[in-house]
Amino acid sequence: MRCYGALLMPKLRIGSRGSQLALWQANHISALLRERGHEVEIEIIHTTGDKITDVALAMVGTKGMFTKEIEEALAAGRVDLAVHSLKDLPTELSPGFEIAAITERQDPRDAFCSRSFSSFQELPQGARVGTSSLRRQAQLKAIRPDLDIHPLRGNVDTRLRKLEQGEYDAIILASAGLKRLGKTQLIKQIIPAEIMCPAAGQGALGIEICEGDTDTRQHLEFLNDPTARAATTCERALLNRLGGGCQVPIGAFAEMKNGKLHLEAIVADPDGSKLLRESCDGSDPEQLGNEVGDILLRRGGDEILEAVYGRGLAVPPQP
């Protein structure tokens, strides 16, 4: 143990996926904890989502595909906390776990990456665009139905390499991950949220612990950002109300405007033929997310999602 002021600071063990971005995130949290006097270890844990590389994630349907094995390590006491991209955390955590902190949010928007074109509006007819996200595909198709959307899996380096090798005219990635890794050379456009609504929780990190672990929670309190927590709680409430996972064509983006929380949300058919957009202001994050979710369902969001599942474009989240 190390001494921090008058307190003995315990050693903390972090569970993380092994991707370059996941390790950046774990090391970022580790550095902040070390500044407080903690000794920190990182344990790399391979998840179901990491092992499935030849199937679109929307077709997997496994609840917690990027978190299940990490939660098992938490429950077994092998690690004390887990660092997740918040968008990968199911909106309903498995029993026995809690989110101890949501960190300050990096840019939640999506980035247009290309070697030759400065924006998706400038892409030629029939341009080949890489993304495995039904949410991104739907919003691109709604504006540019001529685009040829192709699946794109792999870590950030793999995806950028495929772009550089000419397999795609452009790819769409989360700007937060690119900025965290310092791989911004091919970003040509940060797509405004009103054009491409981000995924719920995108750009934020969620720190998960075992429920009731008050000692660890207290050591992590300084990592919690109230603004990010309010915004992402609202977005995740919307996603939960619609019954969708992180792989379905649902977008949610909340931010503070004029002292109130403003939520923009979309539900869309992956082919871009139907896109429902709704926005509303409120003060209670969870209530606002539920209200906007109810509105979208009444306007036909349930029919869109049922059609997505019915056509086999995505698999409903499974236990």
Side-chain angles (χ1 to χ4, degrees):
M1 289 189 179
R2 296 184 181 180
C3 189
Y4 185 76
L7 298 175
L8 286 174
M9 305 301 280
K11 178 178 178 179
L12 292 172
R13 298 159 299 169
I14 297 175
S16 170
R17 294 168 59 199
S19 71
Q20 189 180 18
L21 180 56
L23 288 175
W24 184 97
Q25 294 169 171
N27 280 305
H28 172 65
I29 298 302
S30 175
L32 295 174
L33 289 168
R34 286 193 174 101
E35 288 177 2
R36 308 279 290 194
H38 292 280
E39 186 179 344
V40 184
E41 283 184 1
I42 296 174
E43 178 176 338
I44 296 175
I45 299 168
H46 299 289
T47 69
T48 300
D50 297 314
K51 298 168 188 172
I52 300 172
T53 59
D54 57 349
V55 179
L57 293 178
M59 295 304 301
V60 179
T62 302
K63 182 179 178 182
M65 69 179 83
F66 290 116
T67 60
K68 180 176 179 288
E69 288 82 359
I70 296 177
E71 288 180 339
E72 289 172 352
L74 274 171
R78 288 183 9 231
V79 298
D80 302 298
L81 64 140
V83 179
H84 302 285
S85 291
L86 187 60
K87 69 181 180 65
D88 292 336
L89 265 179
T91 54
E92 291 186 354
L93 296 186
S94 302
F97 302 98
E98 63 178 271
I99 299 176
I102 294 174
T103 64
E104 184 178 0
R105 198 175 198 180
Q106 175 60 274
D107 189 342
R109 295 171 296 176
D110 288 306
F112 172 88
C113 301
S114 179
R115 295 172 304 148
S116 308
F117 305 100
S118 61
S119 70
F120 76 86
Q121 292 94 333
E122 290 190 7
L123 286 170
Q125 289 277 320
R128 186 181 176 98
V129 180
T131 177
S132 290
S133 162
L134 295 181
R135 172 187 60 82
R136 291 170 179 151
Q137 173 183 318
Q139 294 180 88
L140 281 173
K141 281 286 196 178
I143 301 170
R144 290 288 307 272
D146 63 288
L147 294 177
D148 185 14
I149 309 295
H150 280 262
L152 178 65
R153 286 291 311 276
N155 59 34
V156 172
D157 277 343
T158 299
R159 298 183 192 201
L160 290 174
R161 185 169 61 252
K162 289 180 178 181
L163 174 63
E164 289 174 328
Q165 291 173 345
E167 292 186 37
Y168 303 90
D169 295 301
I171 63 175
I172 310 296
L173 298 171
S175 62
L178 293 168
K179 290 177 179 178
R180 283 172 173 146
L181 292 174
K183 299 181 182 295
T184 59
Q185 300 91 328
L186 291 174
I187 295 179
K188 297 297 175 66
Q189 177 189 25
I190 299 296
I191 307 175
E194 57 267 24
I195 294 176
M196 183 171 287
C197 194
Q202 188 161 295
L205 304 182
I207 314 300
E208 186 180 21
I209 63 172
C210 286
E211 190 173 33
D213 184 355
T214 55
D215 289 341
T216 301
R217 189 193 308 128
Q218 287 173 356
H219 290 300
L220 301 176
E221 279 178 349
F222 77 100
L223 294 169
N224 193 61
D225 182 84
T227 301
R229 185 134 203 166
T232 58
T233 295
C234 181
E235 294 164 8
R236 285 165 61 80
L238 176 282
L239 187 61
N240 190 56
R241 182 67 189 88
L242 294 176
C246 63
Q247 306 305 327
V248 293
I250 297 170
F253 175 53
E255 61 181 335
M256 292 300 296
K257 283 188 175 181
N258 302 317
K260 282 197 168 185
L261 202 57
H262 178 78
L263 175 63
E264 295 270 348
I266 64 103
V267 179
D269 190 292
D271 66 8
S273 60
K274 296 178 183 177
L275 190 150
L276 302 178
R277 185 180 299 273
E278 192 61 54
S279 64
C280 200
D281 296 334
S283 53
D284 183 291
E286 199 154 341
Q287 181 179 334
L288 177 59
N290 285 323
E291 286 177 355
V292 173
D294 284 334
I295 294 171
L296 285 169
L297 289 173
R298 288 198 300 269
R299 289 181 55 198
D302 53 348
E303 296 173 4
I304 291 176
L305 293 173
E306 285 171 12
V308 169
Y309 297 136
R311 299 205 306 272
L313 299 174
V315 178
Q318 304 296 318

